Amino acid sequence: MDNKKRIYYGWYIVFSASIITLLTMGMRMGIGPFVNPVMTDLGMSRTDLSIIIAFGMIVYGMGMPVAGLLLKSYSTRFVMLLGLAVVCLSIVWTVNSTGFISFFLSFGVFLSLGLSFLSNISLSPIVSKWFVRQRGKALFYLTTGGMAGIAIMTPVETWLIQLVGWQLTLLIFAGIFIVIVLPSAIFIMKEDVPEEADGGVNAGNRERVAALENITWKDALATRAYWQIVFGLFACGFGMNLLGSHGVPMLIDHNYEPMIASFGVGMIGIVAIFSTLLLGQLADRFPRKNILSLVYFVRGLGFFGLVLSISTWQLFLVAIVGGLVWAGSIAMSTAILSDLYGVRLLGILNGWAFFMGHQIGAALGSFLGGWGYEVFDTHLFSFGIAGVLAIFASLASITLPQHISFSKKIEGELVQEAK
């Protein structure tokens, strides 16, 4: 067979990682359907459950740099199998929980940790290794799994919970995790990348790639660009997890039927799946920071539109428009990190950025979504904050540098950042 007609092996890794991300993101960020039944069965208030969800988001983020260190010391296969074991054991513990403490530890702590080892942040380093010329596209397609997770699993979870209850729903997904993750880790995730993967790097970039091999994570943290990316991820985490945790309850409070509310939130992910395919084609053709800025800006307007919707057609119109740019913030942030600081440090830098930015924001968004409604009796408080943060993230993104020059003194100190 002509080698030119063969599918590049890296795309098998992208496909497998996208399916795993679908499950992970759907389980972590599509928690909305579980809120009311868990509160009813375990006798929790919305604030109680919001605290558990918020702490879980922090643990989920803390697991990212831990996964980065494990990836550097061991392999993607090891991290995936460890994550699978923790997820399955945590789900068994969760369904047998009878009170706040046991649910906090099982669902909030250990399930979050296990899912972090199977997240797109843990899988993006191996995708970045296999792709150079089409790295932006590959990472966008990886993000498609996360969008599909929100789109597919939110209504599926709602349907299953109504059919068999929230405990059996979790057990069903534990079985699905085993069926998908186990063979993927063993047979698909290969670490040995061909020297000229995805066309390799051109001669003009070889010197820069070699130079990035000499920088440390401390050098990266000393640059303003890194913290601009962290702030953008903070806004991303705040808004995405606010929507995932409180979007469905918010719409129900606004007198939408439960399934309409679920499909309204799910529609964002459905549209995002297709928009990701388009954005993926653009990711390697235009400055990544421009795409990232546009994503944040339109998303910010979408949060205001969603909370102010008063009819079904308005809800679905906002969901469709918002879905056009819902994907891409994590993919573009990851691609920009690899462009600025190289692939060698991507696991650690991406993990810390996701923890310090995305998951701290996720924790606040999840908590303020419940607390703000109980205190102010309106969802406009939390969803308005999400909109403002996204717009500021758009401004931070558009001012990112295209490249960073690292000039070393004899002592090895960072002395210059060039835009």
Side-chain angles (χ1 to χ4, degrees):
M1 180 182 294
D2 187 353
N3 289 335
K4 293 183 179 180
K5 295 182 180 180
R6 297 177 59 186
I7 298 176
Y8 177 59
Y9 188 82
W11 291 115
Y12 293 108
I13 293 178
V14 171
F15 177 78
S16 177
S18 297
I19 298 298
I20 295 170
T21 302
L22 182 155
L23 295 173
T24 303
M25 295 283 282
M27 182 66 68
R28 186 70 287 165
M29 297 184 182
I31 192 177
F34 289 92
V35 170
N36 288 333
V38 169
M39 286 194 304
T40 300
D41 287 355
L42 300 184
M44 296 183 190
S45 68
R46 194 182 295 253
T47 298
D48 289 336
L49 191 55
S50 295
I51 291 173
I52 293 176
I53 295 172
F55 193 84
M57 296 302 176
I58 293 177
V59 174
Y60 184 65
M62 291 174 65
M64 304 298 181
V66 174
L69 291 173
L70 292 174
L71 287 170
K72 187 177 180 181
S73 301
Y74 298 98
S75 66
T76 303
R77 177 179 300 168
F78 174 84
V79 173
M80 290 175 63
L81 292 176
L82 178 60
L84 176 63
V86 175
V87 165
C88 292
L89 291 174
S90 300
I91 287 178
V92 173
W93 186 4
T94 298
V95 301
N96 289 286
S97 297
T98 57
F100 179 88
I101 298 299
S102 60
F103 192 82
F104 175 84
L105 292 174
S106 59
F107 186 86
V109 177
F110 288 99
L111 180 59
S112 299
L113 181 63
L115 290 173
S116 71
F117 289 177
L118 299 173
S119 69
N120 60 320
I121 301 301
S122 299
L123 296 171
S124 59
I126 192 171
V127 172
S128 297
K129 286 180 182 178
W130 277 89
F131 289 89
V132 177
R133 182 173 52 85
Q134 301 182 88
R135 182 175 293 161
K137 180 191 294 187
L139 289 171
F140 251 113
Y141 288 173
L142 176 61
T143 303
T144 304
M147 297 304 99
I150 298 174
I152 296 173
M153 289 188 60
T154 298
V156 168
E157 287 168 353
T158 300
W159 174 71
L160 282 175
I161 289 171
Q162 292 177 348
L163 185 66
V164 299
W166 66 271
Q167 292 98 333
L168 281 178
T169 297
L170 285 176
L171 290 174
I172 289 172
F173 281 113
I176 295 175
F177 267 100
I178 294 173
V179 171
I180 299 297
V181 175
L182 189 61
S184 296
I186 296 175
F187 300 110
I188 297 178
M189 297 298 172
K190 296 182 179 180
E191 302 282 355
D192 297 329
V193 183
E195 184 177 352
E196 295 298 320
D198 186 37
V201 294
N202 59 44
N205 287 331
R206 288 187 187 278
E207 184 177 345
R208 172 170 174 76
V209 171
L212 291 177
E213 291 296 315
N214 297 321
I215 70 170
T216 68
W217 63 270
K218 292 182 180 180
D219 295 334
L221 266 61
T223 62
R224 184 177 65 183
Y226 185 78
W227 296 103
Q228 289 175 259
I229 294 171
V230 169
F231 175 74
L233 289 173
F234 176 87
C236 174
F238 188 101
M240 290 187 73
N241 287 273
L242 172 68
L243 181 64
S245 301
H246 299 284
V248 172
M250 179 272 288
L251 293 172
I252 293 175
D253 289 337
H254 288 184
N255 299 316
Y256 289 97
E257 294 294 326
M259 286 306 299
I260 294 295
S262 295
F263 278 111
V265 174
M267 179 62 69
I268 296 174
I270 292 174
V271 175
I273 295 173
F274 298 99
S275 68
T276 298
L277 301 178
L278 172 61
L279 292 174
Q281 297 297 322
L282 303 177
D284 301 305
R285 301 181 183 181
F286 297 93
R288 305 194 203 280
K289 66 174 186 176
N290 294 356
I291 298 175
L292 183 60
S293 178
L294 178 63
V295 166
Y296 282 136
F297 183 77
V298 179
R299 188 185 294 180
L301 298 180
F303 281 114
F304 287 106
L306 191 66
V307 74
L308 295 175
S309 297
I310 59 175
S311 63
T312 301
W313 74 265
Q314 289 177 334
L315 168 63
F316 283 97
L317 177 62
V318 171
I320 290 171
V321 174
L324 292 174
V325 294
W326 190 252
S329 54
I330 296 176
M332 283 294 91
S333 297
T334 301
I336 291 172
L337 283 173
S338 63
D339 290 344
L340 295 179
Y341 308 108
V343 176
R344 183 177 62 87
L345 296 174
L346 181 59
I348 296 175
L349 292 179
N350 211 13
W352 278 113
F354 203 81
F355 168 52
M356 294 184 293
H358 195 279
Q359 291 313 109
I360 297 298
L364 286 174
S366 299
F367 173 73
L368 290 180
W371 178 84
Y373 180 72
E374 290 188 339
V375 172
F376 300 105
D377 196 31
T378 176
H379 292 285
L380 184 59
F381 171 77
S382 56
F383 280 79
I385 292 175
V388 171
L389 285 173
I391 291 173
F392 277 111
S394 175
L395 297 176
S397 300
I398 199 64
T399 58
L400 282 168
Q402 291 281 46
H403 301 288
I404 294 178
S405 297
F406 292 95
S407 178
K408 299 285 186 173
K409 291 182 178 179
I410 297 177
E411 300 87 353
E413 295 179 351
L414 177 68
V415 297
Q416 177 180 326
E417 176 182 341
K419 291 186 179 181

